[in-house]
Amino acid sequence: VLPHILELSPDSIVDYGAGRSLIAEAIARKAGIGRVARFEPSLPGLDRKPDGVFALLVSFDVLEHVPEEEMDSVLHEMSTMCKNALLIIDTRPAKALLADGRNAHVSLHDEAWWLKRLQKHFPSIQPIAARNGRVGFKTWPSRSTAMWRTYIEQRERALQKLGKLRAKLGRSRVVTQKS
């Protein structure tokens, strides 16, 4: 995920559902991000929602733990905390079980389901590659995609010009050969 974050170049980051992880701090060090916050509603000391809006919200392996009836509330809260988001969601059953015997991953769905659900709260969300049975999403366009699109458009224009030039040269050769 670091290349995506470096591409965005955010000045602040919040890890939603951080648990005891310090991944936001590690990302911040590598990406030169100044303002870092962690939010974990289930842990005292991290259970207070950080103030302000962050340039980037990251959430790793969190949403699959949220019951579907609470999902829209959580996604709405996330969307109010950030300008952009990068979300990684596990799509496999957890090894752990809840006290009632249910799998700890109570919301197991494929990429298409997650995309549709996330778009309600993050209209510009798009899938990104993820590994190990996970799906990933981010809310900003890839510069590389835009660069390739520009490159392809420029190449097509150059090929059209070349085709016209060849046609013109071909006609002039024919004229020269007849003379």
Side-chain angles (χ1 to χ4, degrees):
V1 297
L2 189 59
H4 292 287
I5 294 170
L6 291 171
E7 180 181 64
L8 180 64
S9 189
D11 61 359
S12 59
I13 186 171
V14 59
D15 185 355
Y16 189 102
R20 300 188 192 289
S21 169
L22 299 176
I23 195 164
E25 287 82 353
I27 290 170
R29 269 192 311 278
K30 290 180 180 182
I33 300 171
R35 181 174 166 227
V36 182
R38 294 168 47 221
F39 179 53
E40 175 54 67
S42 67
L43 285 178
L46 295 177
D47 57 349
R48 186 175 169 273
K49 185 176 161 185
D51 293 330
V53 174
F54 292 79
L56 177 62
L57 176 143
V58 294
S59 180
F60 302 103
D61 296 339
V62 172
L63 291 174
E64 64 272 14
H65 296 277
V66 177
E68 285 187 45
E69 60 273 11
E70 297 173 27
M71 189 67 67
D72 284 320
S73 174
V74 170
L75 292 173
H76 174 74
E77 180 175 53
M78 289 174 134
S79 71
T80 65
M81 296 174 67
C82 65
K83 295 177 185 172
N84 287 289
L86 189 144
L87 311 169
I88 303 294
I89 306 163
D90 202 337
T91 61
R92 303 165 300 178
K95 293 177 183 165
L97 298 177
L98 300 174
D100 64 6
R102 289 181 302 149
N103 192 280
H105 290 175
V106 295
S107 291
L108 289 174
H109 302 286
D110 64 12
E111 181 179 82
W113 186 93
W114 282 109
L115 182 61
K116 186 175 180 180
R117 195 67 177 255
L118 293 167
Q119 283 175 330
K120 294 177 189 177
H121 304 278
F122 300 98
S124 63
I125 200 95
Q126 58 185 299
I128 59 171
R131 291 185 247 158
N132 301 324
R134 290 172 172 82
V135 293
F137 303 92
K138 69 177 188 173
T139 59
W140 65 95
S142 292
R143 288 186 192 136
S144 57
T145 301
M147 281 190 325
W148 277 109
R149 188 175 300 122
T150 301
Y151 166 77
I152 290 168
E153 289 168 356
Q154 289 173 345
R155 183 174 178 268
E156 289 300 316
R157 283 194 297 271
L159 288 172
Q160 286 174 351
K161 286 180 182 179
L162 182 61
K164 289 177 184 177
L165 182 60
R166 283 184 176 158
K168 188 176 182 180
L169 286 173
R171 283 192 299 262
S172 67
R173 285 187 189 147
V174 171
V175 171
T176 306
Q177 290 174 355
K178 288 182 181 177
S179 317

